[in-house]
Amino acid sequence: MNGYNTFAAARATQADELGRAIPLIAAQLADRQAAGELEGPGPVFVGIGASLAAACAAVWELRSRGIHSWRLGAGDLPVPFPESAHPIVGISQSGRSAETLAVLESVAPELRLAVVNTEPSPISQIASTIALGNLDDSYASTIGYTATVAALGMLADAWDGGRIDPGWFTLNETFSRIEAAVTERVTALAELFRTVGSSDFVGAGPAVGSAEAGALLFREVARIPATSMSTRQYLHGSMESAGDGVHVVFGDSRELDLATTLSEAGHHVILISGEAVDSTPTLHVVQLPKLPAAQRAVLEAMVMQVLVGAVAAVRGVEIEEFVFHNADTKVPVDAGGAA
């Protein structure tokens, strides 16, 4: 990957890039299955920021199959990582995330797996790696994020003798079709954010990751303070300070009542759901097809990308650069290599 693509350019080619990346990922997973690397105790996913959010649906899929799995913030762990039979899957699009590299280096080599975009990279040098293919991502991640969600979801499908869901191999077509169907409506919703001071992002179960990624995008791209949490956490007190922001809710069950309650109280709510729900002047519904959790998460990410790009335009924010640069979050390209 040479530098960064623009946010708009990366989005424009995203469906095609997913169509190219998914078969490559599937082939690598088949090789790992044949080598016996995707067996036994379920994986512990570690990452930072969007990479951590990307693992949410995969953990849900694994637990739905009765396989113990977790996702943990790489920077929130004491190193060395406690001795465990669970493999560690480090997630880092650059392959240079300092905290993720440190966790991987602290465990036995046979327990190290990784999902990265950039190869070669410090993380890919020390772990058995599923590579996305050096995709030309944007500074605020687009295709890098959706391809990571896909890779982790497919890994969850394949774990311990599982089979990759066939829907992955046509997801790029589904992505393109749904993007065309919702873009005009989602873009129009940007006006809701013209003057707001904050926004809440709420999701159920596997969609918690989409809420986290959505809130992160709104902070990075539109410079709007945004908070993410799970539906149940939100219901247990946090919604009491709903304020005058816009609420973005992901889900098909308790989220419908939550969205209705907020909207009937006069709050603008964007509900991203698989259910057919009527919109009102304050309830703005974006319906997505009902797909397996990780595939649905890819489409939810697309909706957030369309929305935040339009919001940045409405608010006059330049989205190709970050405000703050922290020199200690990435290691040099030639770091790593520990046994």
Side-chain angles (χ1 to χ4, degrees):
M1 188 168 75
N2 298 315
Y4 288 97
N5 219 336
T6 67
F7 191 82
R11 276 201 52 240
T13 59
Q14 191 166 202
D16 290 340
E17 291 296 318
L18 282 171
R20 282 189 282 271
I22 286 172
L24 295 175
I25 294 166
Q28 294 173 76
L29 289 170
D31 290 343
R32 301 299 182 278
Q33 277 188 314
E37 295 180 13
L38 308 184
E39 297 178 0
V44 177
F45 299 94
V46 296
I48 291 286
S51 293
L52 181 62
C56 181
V59 170
W60 184 272
E61 297 277 25
L62 284 161
R63 289 179 174 176
S64 296
R65 292 174 53 205
I67 297 172
H68 287 295
S69 180
W70 299 264
R71 63 182 183 122
L72 303 172
D76 301 330
L77 305 172
V79 175
F81 191 81
E83 186 174 343
S84 168
H86 293 269
I88 304 297
V89 180
I91 311 163
S92 172
Q93 291 171 38
S94 68
R96 296 171 49 219
S97 297
E99 302 89 349
T100 304
L101 178 64
V103 173
L104 286 169
E105 287 179 326
S106 77
V107 302
E110 63 270 18
L111 294 178
R112 300 174 188 168
L113 297 171
V115 171
V116 304
N117 182 30
T118 303
E119 277 196 311
S121 62
I123 286 177
S124 72
Q125 292 172 17
I126 69 162
S128 179
T129 300
I130 306 300
L132 308 183
N134 291 313
L135 299 167
D136 286 327
D137 199 11
S138 45
Y139 207 53
S141 185
T142 49
I143 179 58
Y145 179 77
T146 52
T148 298
V149 173
L152 296 171
M154 295 164 70
L155 185 151
D157 286 352
W159 195 269
D160 211 26
R163 173 173 171 266
I164 295 174
D165 187 272
W168 286 113
F169 299 100
T170 56
L171 185 65
N172 64 312
E173 298 170 8
T174 304
F175 186 103
S176 183
R177 174 173 56 84
I178 300 303
E179 184 178 31
V182 305
T183 291
E184 182 176 359
R185 170 161 179 73
V186 172
T187 299
L189 296 175
E191 280 294 332
L192 299 175
F193 294 87
R194 181 177 288 276
T195 61
V196 300
S198 65
S199 187
D200 289 342
F201 290 75
V202 182
V208 173
S210 295
E212 293 171 357
L216 178 59
L217 270 181
F218 267 71
R219 285 179 172 271
E220 289 180 336
V221 172
R223 311 284 193 263
I224 296 175
T227 301
S228 63
M229 63 190 78
S230 68
T231 301
R232 291 293 165 180
Q233 290 286 3
Y234 197 63
L235 292 172
H236 280 262
S238 293
M239 69 182 291
E240 293 304 313
S241 59
D244 60 356
V246 179
H247 307 268
V248 182
V249 179
F250 303 83
D252 298 346
S253 53
R254 182 61 176 83
E255 296 69 38
L256 307 185
D257 287 339
L258 168 62
T260 299
T261 298
L262 286 168
S263 65
E264 288 181 347
H267 302 285
H268 281 289
V269 180
I270 298 173
L271 174 63
I272 301 168
S273 178
E275 298 293 337
V277 179
D278 291 334
S279 292
T280 72
T282 52
L283 179 59
H284 313 276
V285 181
V286 179
Q287 187 175 4
L288 296 179
K290 291 187 176 182
L291 297 174
Q295 295 175 41
R296 169 85 164 263
V298 172
L299 299 186
E300 291 168 342
M302 175 269 291
V303 173
M304 287 298 93
Q305 292 168 12
V306 174
L307 180 60
V308 79
V311 171
V314 163
R315 292 172 69 104
V317 177
E318 171 57 53
I319 66 176
E320 304 305 339
E321 270 290 345
F322 288 166
V323 175
F324 301 105
H325 297 272
N326 299 303
D328 60 344
T329 61
K330 305 295 182 187
V331 300
V333 294
D334 57 353

